[in-house]
Amino acid sequence: MVSIGRISLPGSVPPSLHHQCSPPSAIGFARFPDRISFRSSVVLRDEVEKKGSRVVIVNGKVDGLGKSECETEFDTALGNGRAGNSGKNHGVLSTVGNSTNIKWHECSVGKNEKQSLLKQKGCVIWFTGLSGSGKSTVACALSQSLCKMGKLAYILDGDNVRHGLNRDLGFKAEDRAENIRRVGEVAKLFADAGVICIASLISPYRRDRDACRAILPDGYFIEVFMDVPLEVCEARDAKGLYKLARAGKIKGFTGIDDPYEVPLNCEIVLKHTGGSPSEMAEKVLNYLEQKGFLQA
Amino acid sequence: MVSIGRISLPGSVPPSLHHQCSPPSAIGFARFPDRISFRSSVVLRDEVEKKGSRVVIVNGKVDGLGKSECETEFDTALGNGRAGNSGKNHGVLSTVGNSTNIKWHECSVGKNEKQSLLKQKGCVIWFTGLSGSGKSTVACALSQSLCKMGKLAYILDGDNVRHGLNRDLGFKAEDRAENIRRVGEVAKLFADAGVICIASLISPYRRDRDACRAILPDGYFIEVFMDVPLEVCEARDAKGLYKLARAGKIKGFTGIDDPYEVPLNCEIVLKHTGGSPSEMAEKVLNYLEQKGFLQA
């Protein structure tokens, strides 16, 4: 029932992507056929039942079955031990976090088709750094450069997303973490769609950034650290926030009374002495080129 | 400071998109220049201050200023009275929901460039209907057809999103609403990126669907109602959920002990007697073609 295959990617995309899907787990599960019809859905259920899968009722909800590492084409590359929370069931009900009664719907239009169409590989470029370090500026310059090359990029800006998706979130610790988690999840969806997704968030804590990295295949999360000293950011203070933070009018401000945890193993470091925003964007562009992301 | 322009779209895209941005509001606001440099960011702040904008401190956070209807190219078309909660400040701090200290970052790579690249217009196709009505099946068939035409589409499946972005949500009323709200917001981002975003959710309540419609420009939210009688869906019962709901083991199940509110003014109605999933997808495709979404 489960097609187990080797992913073959051209260019110099990280070798870890050449990953073989895990074999089916001990608990049986079924995979949707490429083309789902109503009839096949019914058959599917029979197959699941024949495989001895269990359905457990918890608090009046249907509870989960076994999990598989093989799912969408994008997710197939996830079986790297870092993406444990992304394993999905094919055509079976599962419980994920607070969600129950969930069936994974797979469609045969996969990431490869989208990448071929776009002549690029979807990925996430994650800009992190202090407020005023130039994340959004370089992200924008990068987006412009990619556009000129005919590549599809999309910027998820931490502040902008708070106007929509994350408008329910504030700045207390758990809200900031949730803000980053959601941006990471959305960035993953964009990458899955073949888009070069550029996320730009202070994202001060390693654990939050690493959690976003963990839901993507190895090599597809490109962390760019804007290595700009606090005093330089504070001197810029484009939003006037440092002044307010120093005056005690904003609490928990990153770099002032809340820590920024410098990335330990990020892919790219951009120093403020490293040139203009365009020149910095060029460095990221070169990285993408070298790693084969700018071709299908 | 604010460029006010008329949006010009080819084809038969809904006339409401030919919308002129509102003039600046009484409270001054500043717009980022196309290319933001560190220097210009500093200048920007001066300009905001010169315009007499106010910064209010609320609970140690910076509070908002005036709002503008003109923002990204995509959002420019939003000034239709339905998108009141999406107005953003350009280069000024604002408060949105629980979020404060938020500055809107604009990048000059806009929706038009993305659409030209993709030779299509980003939009949201929203499949709604009972469990088992065929939403995911037709969504998949549509995605396949679009792929064959060289168009970039992406499916946001209600169940699938619960494995990632919405894994923290359950099935109680407010969680279901939040599930739909987030999918609507993400769908908007995809449409903004030029992608034809296909959302597939039961989304039983009109108010939730209408809220998703309201954040998009008129005509860009295409509601597709899977008009399949309960007894047909229940007879299919591919997930076995109706059986459980009838046995009282699932509470609040749409169609059984929770209502499904039939769309009153949706763009497309697909009846189960209307042909195969591919034929249903064809109808949606024809709609997209007619409305000019399949060209830039």
Side-chain angles (χ1 to χ4, degrees):
Chain A
M1 282 298 292
V2 178
S3 68
I4 299 169
R6 184 172 291 277
I7 300 172
S8 173
L9 286 171
S12 56
V13 160
S16 62
L17 282 171
H18 298 274
H19 169 80
Q20 190 165 342
C21 286
S22 313
S25 60
I27 302 173
F29 60 94
R31 184 188 174 116
F32 272 126
D34 279 351
R35 197 69 172 261
I36 305 161
S37 69
F38 299 137
R39 171 171 284 278
S40 68
S41 294
V42 174
V43 170
L44 173 68
R45 186 184 159 218
D46 291 340
E47 287 167 343
V48 171
E49 288 174 348
K50 277 177 196 155
K51 279 177 171 283
S53 301
R54 62 203 164 84
V55 174
V56 184
I57 310 300
V58 179
N59 296 329
K61 301 284 184 187
V62 179
D63 204 355
L65 301 171
K67 291 197 176 188
S68 158
E69 291 299 317
C70 299
E71 39 204 19
T72 67
E73 285 184 58
F74 189 59
D75 284 320
T76 308
L78 280 168
N80 51 19
R82 306 175 70 178
N85 61 0
S86 290
K88 311 198 178 57
N89 302 318
H90 291 286
V92 293
L93 305 173
S94 66
T95 295
V96 181
N98 291 323
S99 299
T100 51
N101 303 349
I102 309 167
K103 185 165 160 180
W104 183 260
H105 300 277
E106 192 168 338
C107 191
S108 68
V109 179
K111 194 163 182 252
N112 283 353
E113 284 84 350
K114 292 178 175 65
Q115 294 187 151
S116 296
L117 176 67
L118 295 171
K119 299 180 180 65
Q120 66 186 41
K121 290 186 192 76
C123 60
V124 175
I125 304 167
W126 191 278
F127 283 91
T128 173
L130 293 172
S131 176
S133 61
K135 298 179 297 298
S136 298
T137 308
V138 179
C140 183
L142 176 62
S143 174
Q144 289 168 332
S145 297
L146 285 165
C147 181
K148 282 178 193 155
M149 297 171 71
K151 303 301 175 187
L152 184 65
Y154 192 70
I155 295 178
L156 288 177
D157 186 283
D159 280 356
N160 295 6
V161 171
R162 282 182 177 273
H163 284 90
L165 176 66
N166 293 349
R167 57 183 293 113
D168 56 320
L169 301 176
F171 282 88
K172 56 186 180 184
E174 60 266 37
D175 281 6
R176 292 181 78 152
E178 175 64 7
N179 182 49
I180 292 166
R181 185 191 74 82
R182 288 190 203 165
V183 172
E185 291 284 0
V186 174
K188 180 189 172 186
L189 295 175
F190 270 98
D192 190 37
V195 179
I196 296 171
C197 185
I198 306 171
S200 168
L201 299 93
I202 296 174
S203 47
Y205 302 125
R206 267 181 223 121
R207 65 168 183 271
D208 295 332
R209 298 192 300 264
D210 288 348
C212 294
R213 179 186 289 273
I215 60 172
L216 281 145
D218 267 355
Y220 280 73
F221 182 87
I222 301 152
E223 194 172 350
V224 183
F225 172 39
M226 300 300 295
D227 186 10
V228 182
L230 174 63
E231 51 271 25
V232 175
C233 297
E234 194 168 355
R236 289 172 181 164
D237 205 10
K239 303 178 191 175
L241 296 176
Y242 283 102
K243 194 175 171 186
L244 293 167
R246 288 289 185 198
K249 291 173 179 169
I250 302 176
K251 306 291 185 194
F253 195 76
T254 301
I256 304 297
D257 56 348
D258 212 54
Y260 177 83
E261 296 175 356
V262 171
L264 299 178
N265 293 302
C266 64
E267 280 71 14
I268 301 170
V269 178
L270 298 177
K271 291 184 178 290
H272 70 296
T273 51
S276 69
S278 296
E279 287 166 332
M280 292 187 201
E282 186 78 14
K283 288 180 186 170
V284 182
L285 213 57
N286 289 342
Y287 181 92
L288 294 177
E289 183 82 62
Q290 284 168 20
K291 296 291 180 181
F293 285 106
L294 303 184
Q295 54 193 5
Chain B
M1 282 296 294
V2 178
S3 70
I4 300 168
R6 184 173 290 278
I7 302 171
S8 174
L9 287 172
S12 57
V13 162
S16 62
L17 282 171
H18 298 274
H19 169 80
Q20 190 165 345
C21 287
S22 312
S25 61
I27 301 172
F29 61 96
R31 183 189 175 114
F32 272 127
D34 278 349
R35 196 68 171 260
I36 305 161
S37 69
F38 299 137
R39 172 172 283 276
S40 68
S41 294
V42 174
V43 170
L44 173 69
R45 183 181 162 222
D46 291 339
E47 286 168 343
V48 172
E49 288 173 349
K50 277 177 195 155
K51 280 177 170 282
S53 301
R54 62 203 163 83
V55 175
V56 184
I57 310 301
V58 179
N59 296 329
K61 300 286 184 185
V62 180
D63 204 354
L65 302 169
K67 292 196 175 189
S68 158
E69 291 299 316
C70 299
E71 39 207 20
T72 66
E73 284 184 60
F74 188 59
D75 285 319
T76 310
L78 279 168
N80 53 20
R82 306 174 70 179
N85 62 359
S86 289
K88 307 190 180 62
N89 302 316
H90 290 284
V92 293
L93 304 174
S94 66
T95 295
V96 181
N98 291 323
S99 298
T100 51
N101 304 348
I102 311 167
K103 186 165 159 180
W104 183 260
H105 300 278
E106 192 166 337
C107 190
S108 68
V109 179
K111 193 163 183 255
N112 283 354
E113 284 85 348
K114 293 178 174 65
Q115 294 187 152
S116 296
L117 175 67
L118 295 171
K119 299 182 180 64
Q120 65 186 42
K121 291 186 191 76
C123 60
V124 176
I125 303 166
W126 191 278
F127 283 91
T128 173
L130 293 172
S131 177
S133 61
K135 299 179 298 297
S136 298
T137 308
V138 179
C140 183
L142 176 62
S143 174
Q144 288 169 332
S145 297
L146 285 165
C147 180
K148 282 178 193 156
M149 298 172 71
K151 303 300 174 188
L152 184 65
Y154 192 70
I155 296 178
L156 288 177
D157 186 284
D159 280 355
N160 295 6
V161 171
R162 281 182 177 274
H163 284 90
L165 177 65
N166 294 349
R167 60 183 290 115
D168 55 320
L169 301 176
F171 282 87
K172 56 186 179 181
E174 60 265 38
D175 281 6
R176 293 182 76 151
E178 174 65 5
N179 182 49
I180 292 166
R181 186 191 74 81
R182 289 190 203 164
V183 172
E185 291 284 359
V186 174
K188 181 189 171 185
L189 295 175
F190 271 98
D192 190 37
V195 179
I196 296 172
C197 186
I198 306 169
S200 169
L201 299 93
I202 295 173
S203 47
Y205 303 126
R206 267 181 223 122
R207 64 168 183 272
D208 295 331
R209 298 192 300 264
D210 288 348
C212 294
R213 179 186 288 272
I215 60 171
L216 281 144
D218 267 355
Y220 280 72
F221 182 87
I222 301 152
E223 194 171 349
V224 183
F225 172 40
M226 299 300 294
D227 187 10
V228 183
L230 175 63
E231 50 272 25
V232 175
C233 297
E234 195 168 354
R236 290 172 181 163
D237 204 11
K239 302 179 192 175
L241 296 176
Y242 283 101
K243 195 176 171 186
L244 293 167
R246 289 288 185 199
K249 291 173 180 169
I250 302 177
K251 305 291 185 195
F253 194 77
T254 301
I256 304 298
D257 56 347
D258 212 55
Y260 177 83
E261 297 175 354
V262 171
L264 300 177
N265 293 300
C266 65
E267 281 70 14
I268 301 170
V269 178
L270 298 177
K271 291 185 178 290
H272 71 296
T273 51
S276 68
S278 296
E279 288 167 332
M280 293 188 201
E282 186 77 14
K283 289 180 187 171
V284 182
L285 212 57
N286 289 342
Y287 182 92
L288 294 177
E289 183 82 62
Q290 284 168 18
K291 296 291 181 182
F293 285 105
L294 303 185
Q295 52 193 6

